[in-house]
Amino acid sequence: MALCIPIRLFTIALLLFTINNVIAQSEVTLHGRITDTETGQLIPARLYIESETEEFHLAQSDGGSAIPYEKRRQEVKEVHTSLSAHPFKATLPPGTYHLTVERGKEYLPNTQTITLEGEDTSITIPLKRWINMNDHGWFSGETHIHRPVSELKTLLLCEELNVALPLTAWVRGAEDSPLKNNLNPEIVLNRDLIKVDSKHVIWPLNTEYEVTEVEGERHPIGALFVLNHKKPLDLTAPPVGPVVEEARRQGAILDLDKHNWPWSIMLIPTAGVDLFQLTNNHIWRTDFVFSNFFPDYVPDYMNIEHVDGLITERGWIDFGFQTYYALLNCGFDIMPSGGTASGVHPVPLGFGRVYVKLDGEFSYDAWMDGLEQGHSFVTTGPMVEVTFNDQLPGETISTSKGHPTKIHIRGLVQSPDPIESIEIIQNGTVVHSLLIGNANANGVYSQEIDITLPVDSSSWLALRSFARWQDDRPRFAHTAPIFVDYPNQPLRPGKPEAEYLLKRVEDEIARHEGLLSPDAVEEFRSAARVYRDLLEGAR
């Protein structure tokens, strides 16, 4: 009887060995190369391997770096591998697979289908560049990143992202200091610029105040990014005044996260925020999942698209645009930025990004200056190169009192997806729409712009364009505004805009009273006074 247990254990071990051996024999190795069609050279890229049953698989690098990424939210998932410029391999069960390779925004994606049977198989997937924005003086970056700094050297090259500003300090409690209570497990104290190469850099010290708790209880307030500071911040928020003062002392700039956060509208006049995320972390490569967000405070005048009370992806984008327009009409010269929160959400790094035009060679300092000045456009797909009276977005065109001026808008919109619309926006209103032709050269849609518009009062103008992606989903680009200044004729908001902004702040005063400190509530009251004055002078 004593011999039965060892015999049974031997039988089980033999069975497990046999099963594992059968499984191992049934798997095959896919060997692959990702190359540039023009040079034939291996290039870094992002790889998706999806079976016919919609299961995703990850790859390994053969001699280089492979960074796996798996994020899920609700019913959507983002599963890919970022690969350095080396061959890759993946061990897979026999079957049919769809391999999709993407590299940032300037290469055309390539999807190939392959059937694996009983033997190892090799594949080469070429990528074709459709535009080179660096050659035109435009350099891309992202300002909402939650990926480890150690991954970014590979990721920047995979996504052709020139500048990364990872949020290496992150707090959620109103009583938490980024220095003492950092949620980021990768503590970064390095104050030096990290150079991947001459055109790809990382500034490693940036902070997110994402305040969602007060005294341990959930009470969402909002998110604010402090970018490009020089040493860790040992301050709590709210109130935000001391944080802003220290940020300015360190030469940092302030970036607003999403416009729907409770304190976002307050921060504009109170903190003097520099940037507005016009493409933000609700906009993904995967499906739009925030349709249940349609707050009561969205004003009727915006006419936001929704279906059965659920906001659409286009509606969410439009809500951001119109909030931005209302703030510009109030005289707040905020420039656009772009971010994804890759590392938290199921979205690749740089899916939404900002391009900055530089005069001369690339440098990090010049890029940050251009970002703050608004020599820029944001995009999730189309590329925009446009000038207003030969000046870049972000500039101001001064006029003589009583002498109407004309604005000559010249440039080019290009997209790998069909261009749906190109519009000139003046003070939040579409004043000119271009007829879109069917011109398609080498799989790229393009439309030249050469129009002149009269502007007879202080205004801002910008260009936006939508392209039609798969499943009729939108991809868009939006320039920073150009400002036309008439002496002693300040731009005034519309009454519905001022009422909307004031209501947002007044609602928050009531919600925070008794929960936040008197100094914190006073910041909301101060903002309300600003918007109340604007309402009195509204048109």
Side-chain angles (χ1 to χ4, degrees):
M1 192 71 176
L3 293 175
C4 291
I5 293 177
I7 292 174
R8 287 174 182 171
L9 290 175
F10 175 78
T11 302
I12 292 171
L14 181 61
L15 179 61
L16 290 174
F17 174 80
T18 302
I19 291 172
N20 289 334
N21 191 44
V22 169
I23 292 173
Q25 289 179 351
S26 68
E27 292 182 332
V28 296
T29 300
L30 174 65
H31 298 273
R33 301 170 75 250
I34 301 169
T35 62
D36 183 287
T37 54
E38 290 189 9
T39 65
Q41 299 296 312
L42 289 163
I43 56 174
R46 174 175 13 105
L47 172 66
Y48 299 83
I49 304 175
E50 184 179 8
S51 72
E52 286 199 315
T53 57
E54 298 183 347
E55 293 180 281
F56 285 91
H57 299 264
L58 298 168
Q60 297 175 310
S61 178
D62 194 354
S65 173
I67 299 175
Y69 191 68
E70 295 186 70
K71 291 291 178 181
R72 289 170 169 80
R73 180 163 181 149
Q74 297 182 28
E75 69 278 10
V76 305
K77 54 189 175 182
E78 174 73 31
V79 184
H80 65 256
T81 309
S82 297
L83 296 160
S84 60
H86 296 82
F88 69 85
K89 59 185 177 180
T91 303
L92 304 164
T96 299
Y97 295 88
H98 307 289
L99 276 65
T100 298
V101 178
E102 298 183 6
R103 189 181 191 210
K105 299 295 184 185
E106 301 178 26
Y107 279 79
L108 297 174
N110 189 350
T111 297
Q112 295 193 12
T113 299
I114 188 169
T115 298
L116 304 178
E117 296 178 342
E119 298 180 350
D120 292 356
T121 304
S122 297
I123 189 173
T124 295
I125 306 176
L127 288 186
K128 180 180 180 180
R129 180 185 283 280
W130 68 273
I131 195 169
N132 191 325
M133 294 299 286
N134 285 183
D135 283 354
H136 300 180
W138 292 90
F139 297 87
S140 63
E142 196 199 316
T143 63
H144 190 176
I145 300 171
H146 287 286
R147 305 295 291 268
V149 172
S150 57
E151 295 182 353
L152 288 176
K153 289 186 177 181
T154 297
L155 294 179
L156 286 188
L157 299 178
C158 286
E159 302 299 342
E160 285 205 308
L161 202 64
N162 299 107
V163 178
L165 297 162
L167 297 163
T168 51
W170 182 20
V171 293
R172 282 184 170 163
E175 299 78 28
D176 293 338
S177 149
L179 179 62
K180 298 184 177 70
N181 312 103
N182 193 354
L183 293 173
N184 189 345
E186 182 189 42
I187 305 300
V188 175
L189 301 179
N190 180 18
R191 308 174 195 176
D192 298 323
L193 186 69
I194 300 171
K195 293 186 177 181
V196 181
D197 59 30
S198 62
K199 293 182 180 179
H200 299 86
V201 299
I202 304 160
W203 182 259
L205 205 53
N206 312 280
T207 295
E208 177 175 9
Y209 286 88
E210 186 184 20
V211 185
T212 58
E213 296 180 357
V214 177
E215 296 182 354
E217 299 293 329
R218 180 163 176 79
H219 184 75
I221 297 176
L224 175 69
F225 307 146
V226 182
L227 307 177
N228 190 50
H229 56 93
K230 307 306 183 291
K231 62 180 183 179
L233 300 175
D234 191 14
L235 295 163
T236 63
V240 297
V243 173
V244 172
E245 183 178 350
E246 178 61 20
R248 300 304 186 197
R249 192 186 68 79
Q250 293 193 31
I253 60 177
L254 303 177
D255 191 4
L256 192 73
D257 188 20
K258 294 180 297 296
H259 53 284
N260 64 304
W261 278 112
W263 72 355
S264 292
I265 304 305
M266 176 274 289
L267 289 175
I268 303 300
T270 302
V273 172
D274 305 289
L275 305 174
F276 183 106
Q277 296 235 323
L278 211 50
T279 176
N280 54 54
N281 66 345
H282 281 193
I283 301 169
W284 302 342
R285 181 183 182 275
T286 57
D287 293 338
F288 181 68
V289 302
F290 296 97
S291 57
N292 60 347
F293 164 72
F294 197 70
D296 294 338
Y297 59 70
V298 175
D300 292 339
Y301 85 84
M302 289 186 178
N303 194 27
I304 298 300
E305 182 181 274
H306 61 284
V307 178
D308 297 328
L310 302 177
I311 195 168
T312 65
E313 185 172 24
R314 287 177 181 267
W316 169 254
I317 294 167
D318 189 33
F319 178 37
F321 285 0
Q322 293 203 55
T323 301
Y324 182 55
Y325 300 163
L327 293 166
L328 290 175
N329 286 345
C330 287
F332 301 114
D333 297 347
I334 320 163
M335 301 304 161
S337 65
T340 61
S342 182
V344 173
H345 288 313
V347 59
L349 181 74
F351 179 78
R353 60 181 65 190
V354 57
Y355 277 85
V356 175
K357 183 72 163 68
L358 300 186
D359 182 13
E361 295 295 320
F362 171 81
S363 77
Y364 170 71
D365 289 338
W367 192 90
M368 290 298 292
D369 288 343
L371 177 67
E372 189 173 9
Q373 293 168 18
H375 298 163
S376 62
F377 70 91
V378 299
T379 186
T380 60
M383 296 295 164
V384 177
E385 298 180 79
V386 66
T387 59
F388 303 80
N389 284 5
D390 296 324
Q391 296 193 49
L392 289 170
E395 294 294 328
T396 297
I397 298 172
S398 298
T399 67
S400 299
K401 184 176 180 181
H403 292 79
T405 191
K406 293 181 179 180
I407 304 299
H408 187 193
I409 305 168
R410 294 191 304 170
L412 185 65
V413 175
Q414 300 182 82
S415 171
D417 305 299
I419 298 174
E420 188 177 87
S421 65
I422 299 175
E423 299 169 322
I424 306 300
I425 312 298
Q426 180 179 355
N427 300 343
T429 300
V430 176
V431 293
H432 188 88
S433 297
L434 279 73
L435 295 175
I436 308 302
N438 295 320
N440 188 335
N442 299 319
V444 176
Y445 297 80
S446 64
Q447 182 66 51
E448 290 187 1
I449 301 160
D450 190 349
I451 60 174
T452 300
L453 296 175
V455 177
D456 58 8
S457 62
S458 292
S459 302
W460 61 265
L461 296 97
L463 182 146
R464 71 185 184 194
S465 178
F466 278 90
R468 188 171 60 255
W469 194 38
Q470 60 191 28
D471 299 327
D472 201 34
R473 292 183 59 202
R475 287 195 171 184
F476 67 89
H478 199 300
T479 71
I482 189 95
F483 300 95
V484 180
D485 179 48
Y486 275 79
N488 303 315
Q489 296 182 29
L491 178 63
R492 295 185 298 159
K495 185 176 180 181
E497 295 172 317
E499 288 176 337
Y500 157 62
L501 297 172
L502 176 60
K503 185 179 187 304
R504 287 278 305 269
V505 176
E506 288 182 335
D507 287 349
E508 291 308 309
I509 293 172
R511 194 171 74 91
H512 299 313
E513 195 76 66
L515 290 173
L516 302 184
S517 70
D519 287 345
V521 175
E522 177 55 30
E523 290 182 333
F524 286 87
R525 295 189 188 280
S526 175
R529 289 192 291 270
V530 172
Y531 290 119
R532 201 169 290 117
D533 289 343
L534 287 165
L535 178 57
E536 289 181 3
R539 48 188 164 84

